[in-house]
Amino acid sequence: MNTPADLVHTPICAALPAPRHSRQARVRWGDHVVTVGGDAPVRVQSMTNTDTVDVIETAIQVKELAQAGSELVRITVNTPEAAKAVPAIREQLDRMGISVPLIGDFHYNGHTLLTEYPDCAAALSKYRINPGNVGKGQKRDRQFAAMIEAAVRHDKAVRIGVNWGSLDQELLAALMDDNAARSQPWDAKSVMYQALLQSALQSADWARELGLAADQIIISCKVSGVQDLITVYQALSARCDYALHLGLTEAGMGTKGTVASAVAMGQLLQAGIGDTIRVSLTPQPGESRTQEVLVALEILQSLGLRSFNPSVTACPGCGRTTSTTFQELAKQIDDHLRAMMPQWKSRYPGVEKMKVAVMGCIVNGPGESKHADIGISLPGTGEAPAAPVFIDGQKAMTLRGAGIVQEFHRVVEGYIERRYGSATAAH
């Protein structure tokens, strides 16, 4: 086979994500500060689905989301009763040692709630304001100003979150009229895109005129279509340097929502667009709310942007691997590593970057195991009942017999202690 000369002489480099160009914003609670944008890591956000009035239930869900990896949690603040509950939720979280910042989600009556319930305004770390749901005409101007003035008074960050399902209808109508007068009118979707961008950017400019600092502003323009999201955020990123919150507004359920979120946000994050993300999954019946957090973590880790948990590479199985041993072992190892991470993060710095391979036969097993920090190649159908274990690229031992699974567990534990425990001792 002839190899082109440019392949022989041109080095192949990894396609690293593009650097982000957004300014840095800060979301605070007490002494705890979460930086967003600039050179800060892409942050994971989630939202509760409890009735905010139920202080204990909401605080428990916030705790679960935070412990799963959410660095910012949004709660609905839609009634006076919900506004009164916010300080109690914050107090309950503080008692539980959960310092995650709370974001208040306001629509329609946020100006009233933030003005009449200052304890709520003070207990939140950030306000989400939807320009399409603030009001109309002069009432809109007064009500938007009241919310921004509350943010300035309490020194809070604001996300100006535009949503194509609740666009400012007066702005959209004006843009449609302008478009109709063009010699070559745009299509309706292009006008919609322009309305999203104008609503967000004009609102941000107005917020700054009212005294909100640029580094306290985060913008989002959420839509539910993958291609629409990519198009809108590429344009938004080109037109401003505000920190950007990224996500499909309604990703959907299960596999559909997971794939749509990963495809859309993966492309944008690879291009350096996006500073906080949320995967807006509709939970399956009985499914934990934390599933959306786990998907967000996996998106960032798969792109190499952040490391949260040791990764387990596992064989998918084929006709050579009729045994389910490798599947069971991979799940046991993955579940164990995730369960132990809350303890290990402080005891074993760097363990979140560890790579483990659990493979099912001789075809790719040894090679894949060598690429991992620690890997095992289990015997496939008809192969000798022996499982070579590779540590840091070198064959370290061969496991045999009925206790392979338990023995490999012990080998992994010992490896973590030796490699990452020394980092703790060094400090």
Side-chain angles (χ1 to χ4, degrees):
M1 181 176 68
N2 294 324
T3 302
D6 61 339
L7 290 184
V8 175
H9 300 292
T10 303
I12 299 175
C13 300
L16 298 174
R20 288 175 287 142
H21 73 282
S22 57
R23 75 173 76 229
Q24 193 169 84
R26 291 173 176 81
V27 182
R28 302 179 180 87
W29 173 246
D31 295 332
H32 183 67
V33 179
V34 175
T35 53
V36 174
D39 58 359
V42 178
R43 302 297 187 181
V44 174
Q45 181 174 310
S46 57
M47 185 175 185
T48 60
N49 61 357
T50 59
D51 182 354
T52 305
V53 175
D54 190 329
V55 172
I56 299 301
E57 185 181 11
T58 301
I60 289 172
Q61 190 173 88
V62 171
K63 177 182 178 180
E64 291 171 348
L65 292 167
Q67 290 182 332
S70 184
E71 294 158 296
L72 303 146
V73 178
R74 183 158 48 113
I75 60 176
T76 296
V77 187
N78 58 335
T79 63
E81 292 74 20
K84 291 175 184 177
V86 170
I89 293 168
R90 180 72 267 171
E91 290 171 9
Q92 184 67 31
L93 290 169
D94 291 343
R95 283 196 293 270
M96 294 189 293
I98 303 299
S99 58
V100 64
L102 289 179
I103 302 165
D105 193 51
F106 295 98
H107 298 271
Y108 310 112
N109 61 351
H111 58 289
T112 300
L113 299 178
L114 287 170
T115 302
E116 295 184 0
Y117 299 93
D119 289 347
C120 167
L124 294 168
S125 297
K126 176 180 159 191
Y127 311 152
R128 185 279 175 104
I129 301 174
N130 182 341
N133 289 339
V134 172
K136 297 181 180 180
Q138 292 183 351
K139 183 184 290 186
R140 173 190 180 278
D141 295 350
R142 291 195 305 271
Q143 293 175 175
F144 181 85
M147 298 176 79
I148 298 301
E149 287 162 2
V152 172
R153 186 162 56 250
H154 295 282
D155 192 25
K156 304 297 181 179
V158 169
R159 172 159 69 95
I160 295 173
V162 182
N163 191 312
W164 75 347
S166 51
L167 259 175
D168 181 335
Q169 293 302 302
E170 293 177 351
L171 172 62
L172 181 59
L175 289 176
M176 294 291 282
D177 290 342
D178 290 344
N179 187 57
R182 294 175 185 273
S183 58
Q184 295 183 321
W186 298 346
D187 60 46
K189 183 169 283 190
S190 295
V191 179
M192 177 77 75
Y193 293 161
Q194 186 67 14
L196 285 164
L197 297 175
Q198 282 198 26
S199 180
L201 296 176
Q202 289 176 359
S203 297
D205 288 345
W206 188 18
R208 291 178 67 175
E209 290 176 13
L210 293 167
L212 193 65
D215 65 358
Q216 290 179 297
I217 296 174
I218 298 167
I219 287 180
S220 67
C221 287
K222 287 194 169 185
V223 297
S224 55
V226 170
Q227 295 294 350
D228 298 311
L229 191 81
I230 293 169
T231 300
V232 167
Y233 271 83
Q234 286 174 336
L236 183 60
S237 176
R239 296 188 190 185
C240 76
D241 65 353
Y242 292 112
L244 302 181
H245 174 70
L246 187 59
L248 292 166
T249 186
E250 293 102 7
M253 295 182 71
T255 303
K256 184 267 180 187
T258 299
V259 171
S261 296
V263 170
M265 288 194 277
Q267 291 193 55
L268 290 167
L269 290 166
Q270 185 72 13
I273 299 171
D275 302 293
T276 67
I277 67 170
R278 184 194 172 201
V279 177
S280 300
L281 290 182
T282 303
Q284 301 278 10
E287 183 179 65
S288 171
R289 187 67 166 178
T290 59
Q291 183 62 25
E292 69 173 46
V293 178
L294 301 181
V295 172
L297 300 180
E298 290 293 348
I299 290 172
L300 295 178
Q301 184 149 331
S302 296
L303 288 168
L305 291 171
R306 297 188 67 180
S307 295
F308 300 97
N309 293 293
S311 64
V312 178
T313 300
C315 171
C318 67
R320 301 175 65 95
T321 56
T322 54
S323 168
T324 60
T325 302
F326 72 93
Q327 299 168 344
E328 294 161 358
L329 178 56
K331 186 176 189 312
Q332 290 173 10
I333 291 291
D334 191 52
D335 289 348
H336 181 63
L337 294 175
R338 289 179 183 276
M340 295 301 294
M341 275 306 294
Q343 300 177 36
W344 286 349
K345 282 181 180 177
S346 58
R347 288 174 55 195
Y348 302 120
V351 69
E352 68 276 4
K353 297 181 180 180
M354 183 178 71
K355 296 181 180 179
V356 180
V358 180
M359 304 302 294
C361 79
I362 200 171
V363 172
N364 289 321
E368 193 72 51
S369 297
K370 288 178 183 177
H371 288 302
D373 294 308
I374 181 168
I376 185 170
S377 178
L378 294 161
T381 305
E383 294 178 14
V389 174
F390 296 82
I391 296 178
D392 294 330
Q394 303 296 319
K395 183 178 177 180
M397 65 193 75
T398 299
L399 305 181
R400 292 182 172 85
I404 287 177
V405 172
Q406 293 75 18
E407 185 61 27
F408 187 63
H409 265 289
R410 288 192 287 271
V411 171
V412 172
E413 291 274 4
Y415 178 79
I416 291 170
E417 175 64 41
R418 290 192 307 275
R419 177 170 176 180
Y420 300 102
S422 59
T424 303
H427 288 82

